Amino acid sequence: MTTSPRPPSHKSFTGHHDLLQGPQYEFVHPLAPSEEVTGLWTLGRGTVIWRIWPAVLLHALFAAAVVVTSDKTPYYLAIANSLLVVIGVVIGFVIAYRASSG
């Protein structure tokens, strides 16, 4: 039984585990402008703006709809200040848990 040679690996921070190199690939978003168009511009292919703009646009449209509904109709869409504090604490706990459970 022969074993194939293992690729070179690095040790973890503790030195107890081998770290193997991950796959190498390049993701090219179809809506991102080409390198010739952007040059050294900040919003080139190496940024996440091309992946998150639909979510940003969706949230902006939702916020605009809430404001227009609250201002132009008899419906008052508001959240109490105490509830905002509770939501902030819960979101903080979720972010802290996610960061620590990695």
Side-chain angles (χ1 to χ4, degrees):
M1 179 174 168
T2 62
T3 59
S4 62
R6 293 181 61 181
S9 64
H10 300 284
K11 291 289 188 178
S12 67
F13 182 74
T14 60
H16 300 298
H17 308 283
D18 289 332
L19 300 177
L20 300 177
Q21 187 175 9
Q24 300 296 320
Y25 61 91
E26 182 180 340
F27 175 78
V28 177
H29 198 281
L31 295 178
S34 65
E35 188 78 24
E36 296 83 26
V37 173
T38 59
L40 297 177
W41 189 39
T42 306
L43 296 177
R45 289 186 171 279
T47 184
V48 298
I49 193 70
W50 305 111
R51 289 187 185 186
I52 66 168
W53 73 266
V56 171
L57 184 64
L58 175 72
H59 285 83
L61 291 175
F62 179 75
V66 168
V67 169
V68 168
T69 302
S70 188
D71 285 346
K72 303 292 183 187
T73 65
Y75 300 108
Y76 183 64
L77 305 176
I79 298 176
N81 289 338
S82 58
L83 187 57
L84 285 178
V85 172
V86 171
I87 291 172
V89 169
V90 169
I91 290 174
F93 282 148
V94 168
I95 291 172
Y97 174 74
R98 181 177 172 134
S100 67
S101 66

